[in-house]
Amino acid sequence: MKIKYLKYNMYKKGFLNLFIIIIFILARKENLCSQDTCILRGKVLNQSGVPVSNVSISVEGSLQEPVFTDGEGKFEINIGSGNKWLIINPIIEYKKKRIYINNRQYIKIYLTPEDLISGYDMMPVLQKELPRRNVVASYSELLINKLYKYNSYTVDQLFQGNISGINSILRSSMPGSGASSIIRGVKSIYTNNQPLYIVDGLPILPFNVFNNVISGSEYNPLLSVNYFDISKIYVFKDPLYSSMYGIKGSNGIIFIETLDPSATKTEIEVDYKSILSLFPERIIPQLNADEHRALMSEILFTSGKLEEDIKEEYPGLFYDKYDKEYINYIHNTNWQKLIFRNSVSNFISVKVKGGDEIARYGLSVGYKKGNGIFKNTSFDAFNLRFVSRVNIFRWLKMNAGVSANAISSRLKESAISKEASPILSSLFKSPILNPYKYDDEGNETKIIAEVDELGVSNPVAIINNYLGKNNSNEILANLNLIGNVTKNLLLNTRLCFSYNLLKESYFMPNHGMELYYDGEAYNIAKIGNNEYLSIYNNTFLSYNNKSLNNKHYFNYVTGFHISNNKYQFDWALTKNSHENDQYSDLQSGKDYLRELGGNNRIWNWISYYNSLNYRFMDKYLIDFVVSLDGSSRIGKDAKELTKIGDWPFGLSYSGGFAWRISEENFLKNSYWIEDFKIRLSAGVSGNDDIGEINKKKYYNPIKYRSTAGFYPAIYPNNEITYEKTFMLNGGFDFAMFSNKLILKLDVYRSITSNLLEFTPLEAYIGYDYLAENVGKVENKGVDVEFFYRILRTKNLIWDLSLNFSTLKNKILKLNNKYITSISGGEIANIEGYPLNSFYGYIYKGVFSTQEEADRANLINNKGIKFNAGDAIYEDISGPTGVPDGIINEYDKTFIGSSLPKFYGGIINEFRYKRFSMSILLYFVEGNKVFNYVRYMNERMTGLENQSTRVANRWQYEGQITEVPRALWKDPIGNSAFSTRWIEDGSFFRVKNITLSYKLREGTLNLKGAELYFAVNNIYTYSKYLGYDPEFCYSFNQLYNGIDYGMMPQTKEFLFGFKINL
Amino acid sequence: MKVDKLIIVTMFIFSILISCEKFFDPDQEIGIEEKEIFKEWYEYRSAGMGLYGLQQKLVEQLMVLGELRGDLITVTNNADADLIEVNEFRISKKNKYASPKNFFKLISACNNLIKILEEKRPEVTDPKSPVTNYDRLYGEALCMRAWAYFNAVRIYGKVPFIPESLVTIDEIENFVNSSGTYVDSIYIKYSLDGYYNDTIKNFPVTLEKKYYDINLIVDHFTNELEKKVKAVGVNYALNNNDVTWEVTTWNTYAYYALLGQMYLTIGDLAKAAMYFKKIIDDNSEDRYELDNTFAYSNWQNIFRNVNNKEHIYVIWFDKGNYQNNDLQKFFYPEIGPNKYMLKPTRQAVMKWETVWRGQVMNENLNNPALSRMIYPGDPGDYYRGYGISYVYLKGKEPFENIYYMLDLKKQGDIFSAENMIAGYDTVAWKYSIKNNGDPFIHDPFYIIYRAASIHLYLAEIFTYWIHKRPDGNIGTNTMNAVYLLNNGKYYTIAANRSQLGVRGRVGLGSDNDAIRFSNIIYYHDPFTNEIIGYKDIGQNMLEKQRYFEEQILEERARELAFEGERFYDLMRVAKRRNDPSFLAKIVSEKFLGAKRQEIYNLLLDEKNWYVHYFDE
């Protein structure tokens, strides 16, 4: 701990000294214009070097009339004494500029066309607005005006391939499922790793709070934001931003602004989109009827059952054509074809904006009707948002907004839920069977076939009769008062209220389905209700001063956030109501089979923050942020924290410095350089998602007979504290030829310490574990964003954007080695390896001959010998540290991480007259994935159908193959979690191609209209053996990279239009 | 100005929240915070109930370690690696049955309650104050803690001893890891015959500071229980119609049974007998005499319903109240959640199938070689064996022709008999019987103490126990052992109740089929019951005692199979004989081939009788 502190101090002192020295040295060099009148001559040009006439040029703060450029783009202006700022205001086509004269007598000014990003565009940086070029920290912007053409239900689906530093993985193609978005690496084992989303100033519900009852369904709080309403999205990756949100900010912040009621004239916009999602192109090749019969008899042969018992248990395999049931066992059904479909989804959204100087408003109404590619899945969302801006007095403004959403979905389960998963059942169901029954005459009926002795649910029953419902409602209201106390002092307070409700239920039916709960239940009904209420206030004073001799500018903000959050979860489950499947309510089940449970949480947060921005002569930019945070989750005696009153407060702080080299004397006349600055920032922020009860001495209820008892539940830790991330970021911004080429590069390294761990305690202590802050994890990487306008002629524009990120994650310190069992495998957290790595055996193939197996002489953990046809696992170690000939726990090791080495996107955009086309390519490389579906589909341990890859199984002495023999229940462990199931998850995808056409203004009396057509996922290059290499079971990073059989991504065709009235 | 007001109001709110404890430490609605409880009796009672809830979690471990290491249970092909390790006496620390965690969770909860009672209800430590429910609860917690330590030390050989005064992790760690050795001189009255002047062990015990061995544990906790317990067993006024309540918590009889068991284990026969006799000689209540309540075909009801005529202390389970255990899952064929990982050994099955009822022997006492079996009787312990303790199943279907099969064996046609049950799984049935073999209900209760076991313990003590008569002569008690084991004749405590004896209760107590304490031991063919040899041990009292002790052990196997005590029974007798090979031989019999010798050799070293969890 001490060493870490020293390091921080060294960093801090080092920075301060560096700033001071640089400022002093450089400030002395400045030459002031000594005369009273100084004439500045200059020339204004566009990107191609063509002079631009009629551009207004004025001196900031001066009373004289602006001058205009002449036909050659030239101008002359009296700038008076001293260094001043020039305001360049092109009337049309180009963006405004504000240039520091910087002792120049002649100046060349290049203008940026309106369709490009300019450094003088203002952007909201937390509690204030700054021109982009003066932002010290690293951030990315999502250009929403281009992205409305995508197929997306939530905004998180848009990050992928469009910006750097955020590893975004679409969860599935189920509408509304969203994407896991992790900014600059994974920082925690047990807490939330998703960023903090701030929508219109309100931090929304964290991703990991709600609990879902349907496997594979996870509530996405971003559903509360209709993405047609979004006007701005910024992704803040830098420590400077994180520390502004103190102990909530260390996962990065995504800032979303919705309807912007800034226009005074009435605008109406109608958006419509229709999407066709295709049946998956790649169907997993399964054994056909004959092959499956052969596999079944081979497996049954290894079961050790007597032949007459097999005949009795599996009569269907032995019927001859005179048997009545014979007709049910002579098919060759391709079950996968029965669960998927082509689906159509439609979006419509209407926005109205208007008002006058006193009051303005924005109203948006949206409806989305999505359909998944599994039959009988759907998504319905209704969004309403109203915002207003009222100037109450000259000094007081009010923004008020309210939004409401009602969303309902029909879902299917993922492959974790084996009995009800459309994917697993369609793979497992034997092709010899038919989905429907036959009547006595041998005619096919429309009655769903019941489960036969092979025991796999009928996929058609899952599609038709399994009910998974999900209803959510969100209400957000916020009121924002902005008062100008003096000219430079502003008081701003925002009060927000949000309420989220999620009701989920499923009914697993009886007919055609396997039994559930190990055969105990023939039907199950379950419901889960989540409720979240949050009240939030953010109040701050902002002081702005840019006078001071035109050289200095500073802005100081001080304020606080305070929030109160309440969460409640209740669930109930019941089994075995009437067999006819008509009673899917909770009351109908057997009373002794009912289960219920729930969860209540309350947490509070308060943060007092200060930020200071200082700018000197457009050359040196310095930012400081300090915040002091209190949280109800932190233990009373948390170490390293300051106590105020009785309660501990954590300090977050950061500092940043940028040096605009392009304004230095040796570069200031290189006008082709629009902006070149280097940036350095460092700071500390935190994550207090450490649970509310780890600090409490509390008792857990436990039942004995019919009474309730209780026992001490955990060993409380009064010292529990938040996870703390220190990040160092260095980078540069480089823009040339008036933003024709922009390059942003950032290198970062973050160390998260005080990682929450659940350290196992010695058995004699009497408690399982102690929650404490011990571990340390490191993330480092490079984020690059590049833009280049390759071509611009009168009719044709070609823009290239590129973003690229690398990532390296490593656990530096951990008290223990943590192995977590998940369905099908194990996930490990081990010092020296990436977080949440796959942990298992190393698979080296199959013993081809008995002699080979005898030579290896390996046994498994039950003492059974590996023979010919069995898997070869590497015997890494034993209890004494040397290989012991036993394949057991000691031979498990790190077998891959789901984190990519690098990822990025390439966007080409062409515009020809009114046509435009954009192509988005996305790639990800170096991530390993666990193909759970394949693991289930190639195990050969029972009578389920399997993939054609098992046709190559070991069957005779001397056969050389990679697939072990088929073995009833696999007592030897041939299908154990190993590198055999770990695949390369890298892929390259042509994610989107959009073609659009803008109608001429005034056509059909419209202010504007655009038609577009897009194809998504048109081509994917991947070695992955499943449906699609992209999937994400949960927002919880633990499940990252595991293919639990979610609805796969497929090709999509999209048609849409936007009309402005 | 309005803005000023705004500032003032917000600052006010801010300062209020800062000073408000509810903001930084809101009461969570889940769980029960300590500051809210221990104000009234029912909260204490709930903390007491919590102990039983934790005790339930030990049941699988107790059964697996107590039985799978013995000779009556073995693994099937389905067994997981952990069970195989237990079966083969190579239990690693990672083994889920090896972890003492659940013992210490229970101990720590006991410590917590004991400490709270001593602090908040100091009268519990005052022996003179009138007995209240708090005293009874205190007694329950003390019994529970003693029981947990005693069971743990039987398993691990040595355990860290954590007094209730230690609370924080640091205190516990410092105490446990403090250097030095623990030296104590315990005066152990361990004598073979229980005769106090003939004490055979009296030695100082030197141990690492960290651990208590069985001698220290028994010494400490017998003392503690005898001194501190004023009363045991809270009076269940609310449940007074349910007589089963009492025996599903610690009660006076269970308290005696625990003390007796502890004394018996370290060989203090006199003390052990005193406590056991308090249970079965107590005529004040109508219980614990082996009368006809559970006789013959009613014997199986011992596993169906809790009843205070047989059960002294059982751990209750109830599916309706979400209290399940995995006992049935270990044994039941693979239907539903059941795994069929453990099954009765052939040795176990033989103990029931080769018992003979109603045999008639023509004994020639002068020349035992001429003794003949006139009528071999009927094979099979029908009241405790097939269909009750074990069963042959194919899927859910039981084998129906057990009598015919045993008869075939009696005829000598062993091949046909074996063929009849080919393809059937041998299934331990005691934990399935309660719910009539429903594969989905997993709530059999687990018996800690019951009357038959106490009778057999006492019989074991009487076999050896010598006492000094008032006239100065030495008297033996062996006949009492014979009575208890067989038909209970002359050991009846009340005229209105007939003590049937352990064997007598299931129809094996008549003179024809009784186990005799005689000079001549006959050897029988197990399948035909013909006499195939004999041994005359008339001159050797010790050999007779040992023979009888073995017969009691066999009877314990038949009566108490799979109830978790088998391995400790074998351990106790082997220790009494100071002969590890006694245990090694019996246990290794269940293994085949080279494994048998390997396990035999392993078990010759007493150290391997324990789970080496606390070894460095």
Side-chain angles (χ1 to χ4, degrees), chain B residues 402-601:
Chain B
I402 185 73
Y403 305 108
Y404 181 52
M405 188 202 77
L406 291 182
D407 202 50
L408 275 181
K409 282 191 179 171
K410 187 175 160 185
Q411 316 293 334
D413 188 358
I414 295 178
F415 181 76
S416 299
E418 297 283 328
N419 248 358
M420 287 176 79
I421 54 165
Y424 280 85
D425 292 329
T426 310
V427 174
W429 199 242
K430 268 188 178 168
Y431 297 111
S432 302
I433 200 166
K434 180 183 165 204
N435 299 305
N436 299 316
D438 185 322
F440 297 109
I441 307 181
H442 298 107
D443 63 358
F445 49 83
Y446 187 76
I447 298 166
I448 302 293
Y449 302 117
R450 64 181 175 96
S453 168
I454 301 299
H455 281 75
L456 289 169
Y457 276 150
L458 202 54
E460 192 179 309
I461 293 168
F462 285 147
T463 307
Y464 287 107
W465 198 17
I466 313 168
H467 62 277
K468 208 177 199 175
R469 286 192 177 136
D471 61 10
N473 291 325
I474 300 294
T476 62
N477 290 281
T478 45
M479 280 324 284
N480 274 337
V482 174
Y483 300 146
L484 286 170
L485 177 65
N486 288 305
N487 59 11
K489 206 158 70 177
Y490 311 121
Y491 206 88
T492 303
I493 51 164
N496 60 340
R497 292 178 69 203
S498 53
Q499 160 76 278
L500 296 178
V502 174
R503 285 171 68 88
R505 197 161 65 159
V506 290
L508 294 170
S510 80
D511 288 346
N512 285 338
D513 31 43
I515 289 165
R516 303 183 309 172
F517 194 89
S518 81
N519 295 345
I520 302 194
I521 304 166
Y522 291 99
Y523 301 111
H524 299 258
D525 181 288
F527 301 117
T528 63
N529 207 22
E530 293 300 333
I531 297 168
I532 50 175
Y534 77 96
K535 191 179 179 189
D536 189 342
I537 49 171
Q539 302 310 311
N540 189 338
M541 181 63 175
L542 186 62
E543 205 167 333
K544 266 161 83 177
Q545 284 170 323
R546 285 190 170 168
Y547 171 76
F548 200 72
E549 182 184 52
E550 282 163 28
Q551 296 308 304
I552 292 173
L553 215 51
E554 289 282 285
E555 201 57 40
R556 281 185 75 84
R558 275 186 287 268
E559 175 76 27
L560 302 160
F562 323 138
E563 290 176 35
E565 285 290 325
R566 182 63 179 171
F567 190 67
Y568 313 113
D569 287 344
L570 296 174
M571 252 168 77
R572 183 176 65 249
V573 173
K575 276 189 166 177
R576 186 178 292 137
R577 297 181 177 196
N578 204 7
D579 177 14
S581 75
F582 175 79
L583 178 144
K585 182 158 188 313
I586 292 177
V587 173
S588 62
E589 279 296 303
K590 72 175 176 180
F591 295 93
L592 298 172
K595 202 95 204 168
R596 182 179 290 176
Q597 193 59 38
E598 183 195 323
I599 299 289
Y600 178 82
N601 292 339

Side-chain angles (χ1 to χ4, degrees), chain A residues 104-119:
Chain A
R104 281 175 284 211
Q105 266 120 40
Y106 179 79
I107 197 161
K108 247 192 207 170
I109 297 165
Y110 283 93
L111 293 180
T112 309
E114 279 208 308
D115 62 343
L116 287 186
I117 292 170
S118 146

Side-chain angles (χ1 to χ4, degrees), chain A residues 615-647:
Chain A
R615 307 284 178 263
F616 180 70
M617 290 196 357
D618 206 26
K619 262 191 230 168
Y620 312 114
L621 304 90
I622 297 172
D623 284 3
F624 285 110
V625 174
V626 177
S627 80
L628 196 61
D629 285 57
S631 161
S632 63
R633 289 163 171 164
I634 298 173
K636 215 168 173 176
D637 304 320
K639 281 179 188 159
E640 302 167 18
L641 302 191
T642 327
K643 273 205 172 179
I644 299 177
D646 245 358
W647 302 100

Side-chain angles (χ1 to χ4, degrees), chain A residues 30-31 33 38-41 57-60 75 77-88 98-107 109 550 617-619 663 665 668-669 671:
Chain A
E30 189 200 2
N31 283 319
C33 188
C38 243
I39 299 293
L40 174 72
R41 288 178 187 82
I57 315 271
S58 54
V59 175
E60 192 176 72
F75 68 91
I77 190 163
N78 184 352
I79 52 171
S81 65
N83 266 322
K84 289 191 176 148
W85 294 82
L86 278 189
I87 305 286
I88 295 94
R98 176 172 177 264
I99 294 176
Y100 189 63
I101 294 168
N102 200 5
N103 297 331
R104 281 175 284 211
Q105 266 120 40
Y106 179 79
I107 197 161
I109 297 165
N550 284 330
M617 290 196 357
D618 206 26
K619 262 191 230 168
E663 284 296 311
N665 288 339
K668 70 180 182 189
N669 294 327
Y671 297 108

Side-chain angles (χ1 to χ4, degrees), chain B residues 21 51 56 66 126 130 132 174 178 289 322-323 431 433 441 518 574 576 604 608:
Chain B
E21 172 157 343
L51 305 183
Q56 284 181 336
D126 175 10
T132 65
N174 289 340
S178 56
E289 205 179 34
Y322 310 113
Q323 292 153 66
Y431 297 111
I433 200 166
I441 307 181
S518 81
R576 186 178 292 137
L604 286 182
N608 294 325

